[in-house]
Amino acid sequence: MNKDTTLKEKKAGVSRRKALKAFGLGATVAAGAAVASATPGKPSKVDISFDDQMGNYFQDHYKKMTKEEIKEALARLERRYKATYDVDIKVDNMPAQPGVLFGYALNISKCKGYRECVKACTETNNQSRDPEIQFIRVLEMDKGSMNMEEANHYFSDDETVPKPDKWYLPIQCHQCENPPCVKACPVEATWKEPDGITVIDYNWCIGCRMCMNACPYWARRFNWKAPSLPKEDINPVTHYLANRPREKGVVEKCFFCLQKTRKGEMPACQEACPTGARVFGNLLDPNSEIRYVLEHKNIFRLKEDLQTEPKFWYYSD
Amino acid sequence: MKKLLKLLLIASLIFMAGGLAWGQDEDEEQDNSIRSNPENFEPATQLEKPSDLLKSEHVFRQVLRTVPTFTVDPREEEMDAYPCTDCHDNDEQMPNAEIRNLEEDHESIQLVHGNGRFWCLTCHNEDDRDQLTSLKNQPISFNESYLLCGQCHFQRQKDFFYGGHGKRKGNWQGDRKLSTCTECHNPHVPQIKGRNPVAQPKIRTGLSPTKTVHQVKYKPWEIKPKAGAAH
Amino acid sequence: MGIIHFFTACFKELLKGGAAYWIWVTSLMLLVIQGVVTYAGQLQEGLIKTGMSDQVSWGIYVANFTFLVGMAAAAVMLVIPAYIFHNKDAKRVVILAEGLAVAASLMCMLFVTVDMGRPDRLWHLMPIVGHINFPYSLLTWDVLVLNGYLILNLLIPMYLLYNKYMGKEGNYKLVLTGAVLSMFWAISIHTVTAFLFSSNTARPFWSSALHAPKFLASAFAAGPAFIILSFKVIDMSGAFKIGKKTINLLAIIVTVALQINLLMTGAEFFAEFYSEGAHSASARYLFFGLNGADKLVPWIYSAIAMSLIALVLLMIRQTREHPITLSIACVLVVIGVWIEKGMGFVIPGFIPTPIGEIFEYTPNMHEVQVSLGIWGIGLLVFTALVKAAIPIQNGVLTHSK
């Protein structure tokens, strides 16, 4: 019964989209303007077929697409990236592993403010280099205080860290179990996956930035212009919901390196941390490192009072 | 009927009060001391091999018996002058247990670790120079330095075994490979050096950063700054 | 057939007018054209053209939107006396207020559209073809109520005017139902807009129950003040005589609403600063500056000063009834509330960021130009609606003639 209705809905969706497509072809002026703003990079130089442009424009919500439609969408993206960046980028759509809920713990007594996590994150996740988009902010605060308004977000690379009278607090997306950003999105372009990671369909986001207002951790970034991503900096191993190159006017955020972690690998920030301050793993596995930390260390979470249930903990020894 | 109910009520009240009193008695008998007396007395023993720590069956180490299996990258291949017996072959270069300033060989080694409490042979095995040594003079392989360090840093060692200290390499799922102690810490100077961080975030063109004044907040142990400086 | 006649007659009416009318329309057109050209640049390159940042991710566009939702809602202040209390003065001019509601709602939608990163994906917000997150996202509520309000305020006056044009007696019950509906709808649009902000627990400055009533109070001050000003212009043009009584009624509404708004500002000030905590950081930034950053401080005090001066002028009977001092008071109220909702509410909510960064925002020329363009469109629409409605309302323009 349930299956039938969803199938019917899907079929109805397809025919609706076809009707829309026809309508769009008719309204050439509107569609033309739309396509001009829908293509990333420099639209005038990039050669993308008209079919692909239309397919991109009328692409449905990720969760509403059929398997075939997703396959088409991935192929379309790969063609587009090839045309834009001249790199063969593989766009994957591996689903969440069953029985996995990701969690992160960060040892604040070990973090020394080297910002290696920030660098590795950008190198792995194809963020725009100019304007620069970073998912992790490292705060430098006076010892004995946790007043974030007094924190230095821009401590210089000319000075050695850790400074004797400072401590360091890296902040990224906390992957809330009860994410306020998901609630705020008017078009459900962002949602929580079964493995606990809040993702964004960059092809569905309308760029209203409601989610940026809702996030208590300032984890979300906006593509104020088409991202500039030099060819040699591209990581060609990507996931649709994660690190595939983004486009102008959409929001993005940390996704715990979904493209890596769903394959059992560690996220880039954990790999890059030179002090071993970062512990990542499956919260549902009682023998995991993360569970050991949560059960044996003194932990805290930022802004727990907001009851968003972040899956990002801080601990110290 | 009503009478019966009343009776039942009174009976249950009495029963509950008795239960409470009984419970209190038991509380009073509880030992509230916080000294760490082992619950089962066992005569003093020693591990046969230091690595038995992780397999050991004895009662005091129950916690460690659940350590998930792990491997570390072998260390011996990474070392510049290994095997040590290339020089310390017990013929020409007899081990010299005398505590002295190392001026001829190994003069580049700075031994900060332990602030002068240690000498080379605290950790390096006198009899088998290709091995390290435990406090009980049992050999420990260079590949298993965590067994050596954990003799003093036992809390860190426990965290290392379970994932609260050190770092798991490459994956969170599948075979567990850990960074061994000496991959991050120089055993002779274990404190990790400070250095310059990666560049700070850039502000996009067209915008300028806001200049703010770092307000030193009043710390009770410091002289209160002049009124107006703090908010 | 009648409806086509009606629209062509209305359109023809737009083409008649003196020199002042054409100067006004032409200058608005120029304003719109420069706005469209500027916006084309933004469409091409993205919102990077604006002064917004990841830190302050909403700016003057949303500030204008917030203000204009209030202007739209304020029409209800004439709808209630006209349709519910059958106040004759109000009934004569209510159509003009509804015209303002239409223009303001339209401007709201335009301001939201220009603030969007992907206006080409507006269809994602449409029911059925798109995928809307209703009822969870407050923005979907806002889209629904604004569209509904726009339609209501187009249909009711159009029905009334059409009947008057055709010389027919309209269905009174139908109009009354529509009026009652639009009354509640007006309250709802501004409440929903306030909830858009106060739903964010991440931003303690916004996350207060006071904002919905305060939004309404400031809207019922600024809206009628704007209506008074436009009535003065219409009155001066001689096209339509607006009674002193109507103006006085509106002036009293402005006075009371302004008093309530200032009371709430005071209450907010007390709650923020009597026991100042981390949650007061944005308020401190706004009123006193935070860690040396204080760009908004002059704005908020000028807004409060404007409101206070206007209140004094409005509370003294002689100045309230004198056309010049009343006009000055109304101008001060409109500007004061505009600052209060933009520079005094939307922007400081972002400073400092939820993780403490103090990063200031100033609207740049691009944003000002696009905003002026949208105001141009709004004023053009308002002018057109009023221009067509007045002769029908006066009984000059009818089907028979």
Side-chain angles (χ1 to χ4, degrees):
Chain A
M1 157 75 202
N2 232 340
K3 259 186 191 167
D4 277 351
T5 49
T6 48
L7 245 170
K8 263 182 208 162
E9 271 168 22
K10 268 180 185 156
K11 270 183 190 160
V14 171
S15 56
R16 252 195 326 263
R17 270 189 308 288
K18 275 189 182 146
L20 246 164
K21 215 173 225 177
F23 168 76
L25 287 169
T28 37
V29 182
V35 170
S37 54
T39 40
K42 294 146 205 147
S44 53
K45 284 181 195 166
V46 180
D47 182 31
I48 294 166
S49 73
F50 185 70
D51 261 11
D52 270 9
Q53 293 192 0
M54 283 293 122
N56 183 48
Y57 182 66
F58 291 109
Q59 187 178 312
D60 209 337
H61 188 277
Y62 182 75
K63 290 209 267 190
K64 276 164 94 184
M65 281 193 278
T66 60
K67 271 190 183 153
E68 288 73 50
E69 284 173 317
I70 289 182
K71 223 170 152 187
E72 271 174 47
L74 297 182
R76 214 161 37 225
L77 278 174
E78 284 170 5
R79 284 196 293 274
R80 198 172 82 190
Y81 294 144
K82 178 75 182 167
T84 315
Y85 299 106
D86 194 25
V87 177
D88 288 305
I89 293 179
K90 176 91 189 66
V91 186
D92 192 17
N93 68 328
M94 184 183 180
Q97 287 190 33
V100 172
L101 187 69
F102 288 121
Y104 218 134
L106 196 147
N107 188 342
I108 47 169
S109 28
K110 288 283 172 285
C111 179
K112 302 297 177 199
Y114 298 127
R115 284 205 195 99
E116 290 292 342
C117 49
V118 183
K119 187 175 160 216
C121 171
T122 313
E123 282 168 1
T124 311
N125 292 323
N126 293 325
Q127 283 102 323
S128 169
R129 303 302 198 266
D130 180 32
E132 192 179 66
I133 292 185
Q134 294 177 342
F135 293 164
I136 308 174
R137 255 300 156 91
V138 186
L139 273 59
E140 185 186 71
M141 283 181 279
D142 284 345
K143 277 189 176 161
S145 159
M146 201 176 149
N147 183 343
M148 290 195 193
E149 273 101 55
E150 298 288 338
N152 186 358
H153 294 239
Y154 299 95
F155 56 95
S156 160
D157 54 349
D158 305 334
E159 282 180 85
T160 306
V161 289
K163 287 169 207 154
D165 53 342
K166 305 284 183 192
W167 69 285
Y168 300 85
L169 183 77
I171 301 174
Q172 63 202 79
C173 175
H174 281 26
Q175 313 292 0
C176 304
E177 266 301 271
N178 175 21
C181 51
V182 167
K183 218 156 68 172
C185 178
V187 291
E188 227 185 304
T190 183
W191 65 88
K192 194 180 69 178
E193 285 277 290
D195 50 7
I197 301 179
T198 297
V199 295
I200 300 168
D201 181 352
Y202 311 117
N203 276 44
W204 194 257
C205 171
I206 59 171
C208 70
R209 309 189 291 295
M210 275 295 285
C211 54
M212 296 176 79
N213 300 344
C215 176
Y217 303 101
W218 195 64
R220 289 177 167 256
R221 303 289 182 276
F222 186 69
N223 284 283
W224 297 97
K225 67 189 265 274
S228 75
L229 184 58
K231 187 183 165 185
E232 57 277 12
D233 289 349
I234 288 178
N235 172 10
V237 185
T238 73
H239 191 287
Y240 183 90
L241 298 173
N243 66 330
R244 65 184 170 97
R246 268 76 74 186
E247 43 198 297
K248 179 183 72 183
V250 300
V251 172
E252 58 180 277
K253 64 178 266 295
C254 159
F255 30 78
F256 277 3
C257 288
L258 194 75
Q259 74 283 3
K260 284 159 70 66
T261 50
R262 280 198 177 164
K263 294 180 196 153
E265 293 169 34
M266 280 290 185
C269 45
Q270 191 274 352
E271 286 177 335
C273 180
T275 66
R278 287 167 169 270
V279 177
F280 177 83
N282 181 6
L283 292 168
L284 303 183
D285 173 8
N287 294 321
S288 62
E289 287 86 359
I290 179 92
R291 279 283 290 275
Y292 171 79
V293 168
L294 299 186
E295 285 162 24
H296 292 84
K297 295 287 170 187
N298 290 331
I299 56 104
F300 73 92
R301 291 190 283 182
L302 279 184
K303 307 193 182 190
E304 202 175 273
D305 51 323
L306 298 180
Q307 299 199 348
T308 62
E309 298 298 335
K311 294 192 291 294
F312 197 101
W313 287 263
Y314 295 93
Y315 74 103
S316 61
D317 348 267
Chain B
M1 195 60 198
K2 263 189 177 173
K3 266 187 183 170
L4 191 72
L5 266 174
K6 260 185 191 168
L7 206 72
L8 261 172
L9 195 74
I10 291 164
S12 58
L13 271 173
I14 291 169
F15 183 76
M16 273 162 68
L20 266 173
W22 186 60
Q24 270 174 351
D25 278 352
E26 207 181 41
D27 278 350
E28 274 163 28
E29 278 166 22
Q30 250 180 18
D31 178 10
N32 286 327
S33 77
I34 55 163
R35 287 179 303 148
S36 57
N37 288 327
E39 281 166 29
N40 303 311
F41 177 78
E42 288 232 340
T45 63
Q46 188 186 350
L47 298 171
E48 268 178 39
K49 286 187 294 181
S51 58
D52 285 350
L53 178 70
L54 288 163
K55 311 172 197 156
S56 110
E57 300 290 325
H58 63 96
V59 201
F60 303 156
R61 295 288 174 267
Q62 256 178 358
V63 174
L64 291 185
R65 270 190 285 160
T66 59
V67 170
T69 51
F70 67 91
T71 56
V72 297
D73 280 325
R75 179 81 184 144
E76 286 166 356
E77 297 145 26
E78 303 284 313
M79 292 159 68
D80 292 336
Y82 192 84
C84 309
T85 40
D86 280 355
C87 300
H88 296 285
D89 55 2
N90 287 8
D91 286 331
E92 288 159 40
Q93 288 276 359
M94 287 296 285
N96 181 355
E98 189 198 331
I99 293 172
R100 61 200 191 278
N101 282 337
L102 291 180
E103 273 161 357
E104 275 175 44
D105 283 310
H106 297 313
E107 69 280 355
S108 64
I109 292 178
Q110 248 197 311
L111 187 61
V112 176
H113 193 182
N115 289 325
R117 293 181 188 90
F118 303 148
W119 179 243
C120 311
L121 298 178
T122 316
C123 301
H124 292 272
N125 196 310
E126 189 180 350
D127 305 320
D128 181 356
R129 302 316 286 255
D130 289 338
Q131 302 267 341
L132 299 165
T133 186
S134 79
L135 293 171
K136 302 279 170 61
N137 291 322
Q138 292 163 307
I140 293 174
S141 154
F142 275 100
N143 291 337
E144 296 177 320
S145 52
Y146 51 86
L147 294 173
L148 173 73
C149 308
Q151 295 176 108
C152 298
H153 305 287
F154 39 83
Q155 184 58 45
R156 284 274 187 275
Q157 186 193 42
K158 186 182 162 197
D159 283 349
F160 165 80
F161 287 150
Y162 289 101
H165 182 92
K167 186 167 157 178
R168 181 165 174 174
K169 283 192 205 166
N171 63 4
W172 59 270
Q173 195 174 36
D175 293 337
R176 199 166 163 247
K177 184 182 266 188
L178 304 178
S179 307
T180 196
C181 314
T182 46
E183 280 178 56
C184 303
H185 299 281
N186 173 351
H188 303 130
V189 190
Q191 171 83 284
I192 287 169
K193 265 197 301 189
R195 61 170 169 84
N196 290 14
V198 169
Q200 60 267 42
K202 281 189 221 113
I203 287 161
R204 75 166 166 84
T205 35
L207 301 180
S208 46
T210 302
K211 281 204 183 82
T212 53
V213 191
H214 185 66
Q215 310 268 11
V216 180
K217 287 275 169 154
Y218 168 56
K219 291 177 182 167
W221 61 90
E222 283 175 359
I223 300 161
K224 194 171 180 175
K226 276 174 209 156
H231 62 244
Chain C
M1 273 327 277
I3 200 91
I4 296 169
H5 277 279
F6 172 69
F7 280 117
T8 40
C10 287
F11 185 72
K12 274 183 193 156
E13 190 57 36
L14 297 187
L15 301 177
K16 295 180 212 157
Y21 172 73
W22 283 112
I23 289 169
W24 170 245
V25 170
T26 317
S27 45
L28 286 181
M29 292 274 202
L30 288 176
L31 211 57
V32 174
I33 289 166
Q34 68 79 33
V36 169
V37 170
T38 320
Y39 180 64
Q42 184 187 312
L43 255 186
Q44 196 69 34
E45 286 193 42
L47 284 159
I48 188 127
K49 288 268 194 177
T50 69
M52 289 184 272
S53 55
D54 284 333
Q55 287 85 352
V56 184
S57 48
W58 275 355
I60 199 181
Y61 292 158
V62 173
N64 273 306
F65 158 79
T66 312
F67 174 76
L68 286 164
V69 174
M71 296 294 271
V76 79
M77 281 294 143
L78 277 171
V79 169
I80 294 175
Y83 295 118
I84 311 295
F85 299 123
H86 302 288
N87 181 315
K88 271 192 185 154
D89 305 305
K91 216 164 199 172
R92 276 191 71 227
V93 293
V94 66
I95 278 175
L96 306 180
E98 283 162 332
L100 176 70
V102 169
S105 312
L106 191 72
M107 281 193 267
C108 287
M109 287 173 198
L110 289 173
F111 270 115
V112 171
T113 310
V114 297
D115 191 59
M116 275 171 68
R118 301 304 300 236
D120 55 313
R121 293 183 185 166
L122 255 174
W123 65 275
H124 293 185
L125 264 171
M126 287 197 280
I128 304 164
V129 282
H131 189 68
I132 64 167
N133 187 14
F134 187 80
Y136 298 105
S137 171
L138 262 304
L139 198 63
T140 59
W141 280 81
D142 225 347
V143 169
L144 289 177
V145 293
L146 266 179
N147 277 298
Y149 192 67
L150 178 66
I151 291 166
L152 268 179
N153 276 291
L154 270 175
L155 287 184
I156 299 172
M158 227 157 72
Y159 179 76
L160 286 171
L161 288 173
Y162 176 67
N163 277 328
K164 192 141 197 182
Y165 175 75
M166 298 303 283
K168 283 194 284 189
E169 219 18 71
N171 182 343
Y172 174 70
K173 271 190 183 158
L174 196 69
V175 174
L176 185 70
T177 317
V180 170
L181 195 60
S182 101
M183 238 167 64
F184 286 104
W185 214 288
I187 308 287
S188 84
I189 57 168
H190 218 24
T191 308
V192 166
T193 306
F195 287 174
L196 200 70
F197 294 96
S198 50
S199 58
N200 295 299
T201 47
R203 316 243 172 212
F205 182 70
W206 290 346
S207 184
S208 153
L210 188 64
H211 290 308
K214 189 160 183 273
F215 266 31
L216 287 171
S218 61
F220 293 157
F226 189 85
I227 295 174
I228 291 176
L229 289 172
S230 56
F231 281 179
K232 294 244 172 231
V233 175
I234 293 166
D235 203 45
M236 274 197 304
S237 75
F240 194 66
K241 275 280 152 250
I242 286 156
K244 249 197 157 163
K245 269 188 182 169
T246 319
I247 302 245
N248 215 6
L249 175 73
L250 285 169
I252 285 170
I253 291 172
V254 176
T255 315
V256 174
L258 199 60
Q259 283 167 338
I260 297 173
N261 188 42
L262 275 165
L263 172 74
M264 289 200 229
T265 306
E268 202 183 10
F269 195 88
F270 169 80
E272 292 279 17
F273 294 114
Y274 180 80
S275 48
E276 188 181 352
H279 285 182
S280 315
S282 293
R284 172 153 289 273
Y285 170 72
L286 175 63
F287 285 101
F288 303 107
L290 187 61
N291 293 6
D294 53 8
K295 260 188 196 164
L296 293 186
V297 176
W299 288 94
I300 190 66
Y301 286 113
S302 48
I304 290 174
M306 284 180 201
S307 289
L308 281 173
I309 295 168
L311 188 62
V312 171
L313 289 177
L314 287 167
M315 278 171 73
I316 299 165
R317 198 175 156 194
Q318 284 81 355
T319 44
R320 183 174 66 239
E321 286 177 0
H322 191 278
I324 292 172
T325 40
L326 177 63
S327 301
I328 292 172
C330 287
V331 169
L332 288 176
V333 171
V334 172
I335 298 175
V337 170
W338 185 85
I339 295 173
E340 194 190 299
K341 278 196 172 150
M343 295 310 199
F345 178 75
V346 176
I347 313 301
F350 291 99
I351 306 165
T353 67
I355 60 169
E357 186 181 355
I358 298 161
F359 193 92
E360 298 192 287
Y361 160 83
T362 329
N364 63 10
M365 259 329 274
H366 173 90
E367 284 168 282
V368 173
Q369 280 175 281
V370 172
S371 301
L372 284 176
I374 293 175
W375 274 95
I377 294 174
L379 289 175
L380 262 183
V381 168
F382 183 54
T383 310
L385 291 174
V386 169
K387 187 82 178 27
I390 284 174
I392 302 176
Q393 189 75 351
N394 282 343
V396 181
L397 187 67
T398 56
H399 189 53
S400 46
K401 283 179 192 170

